[in-house]
Amino acid sequence: HPRYSFWPIILGSLKVTFIALFFAVPVAVAAALYSSEFAPPRVKEIIKPVIEILAGIPSVVMGFFALVFLASFLKGIFGWHIRLNAINAGLALGMAVIPAIYSLAEDAISAVPQSFREAALGLGATRWQTAFKVVLPAAMPGVSAAILFGMGRAIGETMVVLMAAGNAPLLSLDPLQSTRTMTATIAAELGEVVFGSPHYHTLFFIGLLLFAVTYIINLFSFYLFQSLMAKMYGRKK
């Protein structure tokens, strides 16, 4: 009866996901705020469809890009000894989740009542002060939900991390080491595993664990949205 350790792949999933969010959240929220508050109408009509079209790029294409180009580019700049590592996979994964976070965040920012902006401008605030101190806090419930949605999208991604992370289940916090995620483990091993074996059932348990994690994230996103709406507007939506 072989024994399997989940900690390396759980740590790998968390490590890659947080690197992806660290890169994607500032870019996506800043782009959403710019296109909603500062971009001219013609520019906005171009930016929003183009970014949303990026969401349709297959994940295998993004993984191939990270495997062939991004890994060599980062190694050439920083001199890393390992091409395929958690940072490489996290950056590629961040590019994959930016459109999802941007789309929901932009909708949330655009939904802020125009009276909020007019009141802030009438009190002498600049457009930047209005955007960062009035509009963005008012849209925070929707922006928070967008970030959690992006987190669930990143945890469930398969091909990008399978191709770009090095596929080595190492129990290490070092982002420059190769790593393996739960989704990559299922994709790499399920096709050759013996049917009905402990290894077979272990892979299905990993899938069940992924389902539980994404369910908890979505549930937390819902209650966070409800609590923020109640706190900011005095009612639940």
Side-chain angles (χ1 to χ4, degrees):
H1 297 284
R3 296 182 179 181
Y4 304 94
S5 175
F6 288 169
W7 292 116
I9 59 176
I10 292 175
L11 180 61
S13 295
L14 294 177
K15 187 164 56 173
V16 172
T17 298
F18 284 116
I19 291 173
L21 292 178
F22 182 79
F23 165 67
V25 169
V27 175
V29 174
L33 190 63
Y34 169 77
S35 62
S36 178
E37 299 298 313
F38 301 103
R42 287 191 176 183
V43 176
K44 182 178 179 180
E45 291 175 359
I46 297 174
I47 293 177
K48 187 174 174 65
V50 167
I51 294 181
E52 291 181 347
I53 286 174
L54 294 177
I57 297 177
S59 59
V60 66
V61 175
M62 195 69 70
F64 184 76
F65 168 79
L67 174 66
V68 174
F69 175 76
L70 184 61
S72 299
F73 177 75
L74 293 175
K75 182 181 179 181
I77 291 179
F78 299 105
W80 295 338
H81 297 290
I82 301 175
R83 288 180 65 251
L84 303 180
N85 52 43
I87 293 181
N88 180 58
L91 292 178
L93 192 58
M95 289 187 285
V97 302
I98 280 176
I101 299 176
Y102 166 84
S103 182
L104 293 177
E106 201 275 336
D107 291 340
I109 293 171
S110 298
V112 174
Q114 187 63 26
S115 59
F116 285 30
R117 301 174 178 87
E118 294 172 352
L121 294 173
L123 291 173
T126 63
R127 292 186 64 187
W128 283 98
Q129 290 173 331
T130 301
F132 283 99
K133 296 185 178 181
V134 177
V135 177
L136 188 59
M140 193 52 65
V143 173
S144 301
I147 293 172
L148 288 175
F149 175 77
M151 183 177 180
R153 169 81 167 78
I155 289 178
E157 182 55 57
T158 303
M159 291 308 300
V160 173
V161 292
L162 179 63
M163 300 174 68
N167 211 25
L170 302 177
L171 188 62
S172 173
L173 292 174
D174 187 0
L176 299 180
Q177 294 288 334
S178 296
T179 189
R180 174 186 271 193
T181 65
M182 292 185 286
T183 52
T185 300
I186 296 173
E189 299 180 5
L190 189 59
E192 300 180 358
V193 69
V194 177
F195 180 80
S197 65
H199 190 184
Y200 179 85
H201 293 295
T202 300
L203 294 179
F204 272 88
F205 180 79
I206 294 173
L208 181 63
L209 183 62
L210 274 172
F211 173 79
V213 169
T214 53
Y215 177 79
I216 291 172
I217 291 175
N218 290 330
L219 192 65
F220 178 73
S221 173
F222 173 76
Y223 283 109
L224 177 64
F225 179 80
Q226 293 278 32
S227 63
L228 286 175
M229 289 297 295
K231 181 179 179 180
M232 297 184 66
Y233 298 107
R235 63 181 185 278
K236 293 184 178 181
K237 289 190 177 182

